[in-house]
Amino acid sequence: DYAAADIYNNTIDGGSGVTSYSVFVDSISTTTNLKNNILMATSGTNNYCLYEETNPPLEIKNNDFIFCSTSPYFDNDALCTGNGDNDANPNTCTLTEMEALIDITGGASGNVSLDPMFTDIDGADNNALTMADNDWHLTTDAPTYTNANVLEGGLDLSANFTTDKDAQTRTAVITKGPSNTGAAGWSMGAYEFD
């Protein structure tokens, strides 16, 4: 008997190799829920942020799919049925098409593909795969601010968790960031920005 795999509140890099994925849902995983993650596949020839072998996740909500050069979502069993280009090719399943798939019974919404702009993704050694010196906290220190949805545009998932990896409270009111409007939102990934 296998327990539910609730993957909440993470920043995940698929690592190295010819094929890399942030999350692999195998044939025996029957209850996978993905919420509020930053999923990356930064190296390899075939890069997928989420790879579904047989059983689709129940819910895919409030995630940032980034650097998935092959496809953000590989739908091995249904081949991204109904995808916009009508070619039944799982390698061309976009986020929009993923959110429309009816076999994700709990729904898929609030997902984006935006550069999360980490403080220092690869650390002093300039290697994202050596974790000790990497800083994956979110920042706005960029000439052009492009990731408002990652920092402050997420869904309210307070029913699932209330703190981040640093044990800081997840806030539903923006106190920092470029808009600083007090609008509702959650930062995506392991760390709350406000």
Coordinates of all heavy atoms in Angstrom, one line a residue, residues 80-114:
C80 N -1.2 13.7 -23.7 CA -1.7 15.1 -23.7 C -2.9 15.2 -24.6 O -3.0 16.1 -25.4 CB -0.6 16.1 -24.1 SG -1.0 17.8 -23.6
T81 N -3.8 14.3 -24.4 CA -5.0 14.2 -25.2 C -5.7 15.6 -25.3 O -5.9 16.3 -24.3 CB -6.0 13.2 -24.6 OG1 -5.4 11.9 -24.6 CG2 -7.3 13.1 -25.5
G82 N -6.0 16.0 -26.5 CA -6.7 17.2 -26.7 C -5.8 18.4 -26.8 O -6.3 19.6 -26.7
N83 N -4.5 18.2 -26.8 CA -3.6 19.3 -26.9 C -3.8 20.2 -28.1 O -4.3 19.7 -29.1 CB -2.1 18.9 -26.7 CG -1.6 18.1 -27.8 OD1 -2.1 18.0 -28.8 ND2 -0.4 17.5 -27.5
G84 N -3.4 21.4 -28.0 CA -3.8 22.4 -29.1 C -3.3 22.1 -30.4 O -3.9 22.5 -31.4
D85 N -2.1 21.4 -30.6 CA -1.6 21.1 -31.9 C -2.1 19.8 -32.4 O -1.8 19.4 -33.6 CB -0.1 21.1 -31.9 CG 0.5 20.3 -30.8 OD1 -0.2 19.4 -30.3 OD2 1.7 20.5 -30.4
N86 N -3.0 19.0 -31.7 CA -3.6 17.8 -32.1 C -2.7 16.7 -32.7 O -3.1 16.0 -33.5 CB -4.7 18.2 -33.2 CG -5.8 19.0 -32.7 OD1 -6.3 18.7 -31.6 ND2 -6.1 20.1 -33.4
D87 N -1.5 16.7 -32.1 CA -0.6 15.7 -32.7 C -0.4 14.5 -31.7 O 0.4 13.6 -32.0 CB 0.8 16.3 -33.0 CG 1.6 16.8 -31.8 OD1 1.1 16.7 -30.7 OD2 2.6 17.4 -32.0
A88 N -1.0 14.5 -30.5 CA -0.9 13.4 -29.5 C 0.5 13.2 -29.2 O 0.9 12.0 -28.9 CB -1.6 12.2 -30.0
N89 N 1.3 14.2 -29.1 CA 2.7 14.1 -28.7 C 2.9 14.6 -27.3 O 2.8 15.8 -27.1 CB 3.6 14.8 -29.7 CG 5.1 14.7 -29.5 OD1 5.5 14.2 -28.4 ND2 5.9 15.1 -30.4
P90 N 3.3 13.7 -26.4 CA 3.5 14.2 -25.0 C 4.6 15.2 -24.8 O 4.6 15.9 -23.9 CB 3.8 12.9 -24.2 CG 4.3 11.9 -25.3 CD 3.6 12.3 -26.5
N91 N 5.5 15.2 -25.8 CA 6.6 16.2 -25.7 C 6.2 17.6 -26.1 O 7.0 18.6 -25.9 CB 7.8 15.8 -26.7 CG 8.6 14.7 -26.1 OD1 9.0 14.8 -24.9 ND2 8.8 13.7 -26.8
T92 N 4.9 17.8 -26.5 CA 4.5 19.2 -26.8 C 3.3 19.6 -25.9 O 2.6 20.5 -26.3 CB 4.0 19.2 -28.3 OG1 2.9 18.3 -28.5 CG2 5.1 18.9 -29.3
C93 N 3.2 19.0 -24.8 CA 2.1 19.4 -23.8 C 2.5 20.6 -23.1 O 3.5 20.7 -22.3 CB 1.9 18.2 -22.9 SG 0.4 18.3 -22.0
T94 N 1.8 21.7 -23.4 CA 2.1 23.0 -22.7 C 1.3 23.1 -21.4 O 0.5 22.3 -21.1 CB 1.6 24.2 -23.6 OG1 0.2 24.1 -23.7 CG2 2.2 24.1 -25.0
L95 N 1.6 24.1 -20.6 CA 0.9 24.3 -19.4 C -0.6 24.6 -19.6 O -1.4 24.0 -18.8 CB 1.5 25.5 -18.6 CG 2.9 25.3 -18.0 CD1 3.3 26.6 -17.2 CD2 3.0 24.1 -17.1
T96 N -0.9 25.3 -20.6 CA -2.3 25.5 -20.9 C -3.0 24.2 -21.2 O -4.2 24.0 -20.7 CB -2.5 26.5 -22.1 OG1 -1.9 27.7 -21.8 CG2 -3.9 26.7 -22.5
E97 N -2.4 23.4 -22.0 CA -3.0 22.1 -22.3 C -3.0 21.2 -21.1 O -4.0 20.5 -20.9 CB -2.2 21.4 -23.4 CG -2.3 22.2 -24.8 CD -1.2 21.8 -25.8 OE1 -0.2 21.2 -25.4 OE2 -1.3 22.2 -26.9
M98 N -2.0 21.2 -20.3 CA -2.0 20.4 -19.0 C -3.2 20.8 -18.2 O -3.9 19.9 -17.6 CB -0.7 20.6 -18.3 CG -0.6 19.9 -16.9 SD 0.7 20.5 -15.9 CE 0.1 22.1 -15.3
E99 N -3.5 22.1 -18.0 CA -4.5 22.6 -17.2 C -5.9 22.2 -17.7 O -6.9 22.2 -17.0 CB -4.4 24.1 -16.9 CG -3.2 24.4 -16.1 CD -3.2 25.8 -15.5 OE1 -4.1 26.6 -15.9 OE2 -2.4 26.1 -14.7
A100 N -6.0 21.8 -19.0 CA -7.3 21.4 -19.6 C -7.5 19.9 -19.6 O -8.6 19.5 -19.9 CB -7.3 21.9 -21.0
L101 N -6.5 19.1 -19.1 CA -6.7 17.7 -19.2 C -7.7 17.2 -18.1 O -7.6 17.6 -17.0 CB -5.3 17.0 -18.9 CG -4.3 17.2 -20.0 CD1 -2.9 16.6 -19.5 CD2 -4.7 16.5 -21.3
I102 N -8.6 16.4 -18.6 CA -9.7 16.0 -17.7 C -9.3 14.9 -16.7 O -10.0 14.6 -15.7 CB -11.0 15.6 -18.4 CG1 -10.7 14.4 -19.4 CG2 -11.6 16.8 -19.2 CD1 -11.9 13.8 -20.0
D103 N -8.1 14.2 -17.0 CA -7.7 13.1 -16.1 C -7.0 13.6 -14.8 O -6.7 12.9 -13.9 CB -6.9 12.1 -16.8 CG -5.6 12.6 -17.4 OD1 -5.4 13.8 -17.4 OD2 -4.8 11.7 -17.8
I104 N -6.8 14.9 -14.7 CA -6.3 15.5 -13.5 C -7.5 15.9 -12.7 O -8.0 17.0 -12.8 CB -5.4 16.7 -13.8 CG1 -4.2 16.3 -14.7 CG2 -4.9 17.3 -12.5 CD1 -3.3 17.4 -15.1
T105 N -8.0 15.0 -11.9 CA -9.4 15.1 -11.4 C -9.5 16.2 -10.4 O -10.6 16.8 -10.3 CB -9.8 13.8 -10.7 OG1 -8.8 13.4 -9.7 CG2 -9.9 12.6 -11.7
G106 N -8.5 16.6 -9.6 CA -8.6 17.7 -8.7 C -8.4 19.0 -9.3 O -8.5 20.0 -8.7
G107 N -8.0 19.0 -10.6 CA -7.8 20.2 -11.3 C -6.4 20.7 -11.3 O -5.5 20.3 -10.5
A108 N -6.1 21.5 -12.3 CA -4.8 22.2 -12.5 C -5.0 23.7 -12.7 O -5.8 24.0 -13.7 CB -4.0 21.5 -13.6
S109 N -4.5 24.5 -11.9 CA -4.7 26.0 -12.1 C -3.6 26.7 -11.4 O -2.9 26.2 -10.5 CB -6.0 26.4 -11.5 OG -6.1 26.1 -10.1
G110 N -3.4 28.0 -11.8 CA -2.5 28.9 -11.2 C -1.0 28.6 -11.5 O -0.1 29.1 -10.9
N111 N -0.8 27.8 -12.5 CA 0.6 27.4 -12.9 C 1.2 28.4 -13.9 O 0.4 28.9 -14.7 CB 0.6 26.0 -13.5 CG 0.1 24.9 -12.5 OD1 0.7 24.7 -11.5 ND2 -1.1 24.4 -12.7
V112 N 2.5 28.6 -13.8 CA 3.1 29.6 -14.6 C 4.5 29.0 -15.1 O 4.9 28.0 -14.6 CB 3.4 30.9 -13.9 CG1 2.0 31.6 -13.5 CG2 4.3 30.8 -12.7
S113 N 5.1 29.7 -16.0 CA 6.4 29.4 -16.4 C 7.2 30.7 -16.5 O 7.2 31.4 -17.5 CB 6.4 28.7 -17.8 OG 7.8 28.4 -18.2
L114 N 7.7 31.2 -15.4 CA 8.4 32.4 -15.2 C 9.7 32.3 -14.5 O 9.9 31.5 -13.6 CB 7.5 33.4 -14.4 CG 6.2 33.8 -15.0 CD1 5.3 34.5 -14.0 CD2 6.3 34.6 -16.3

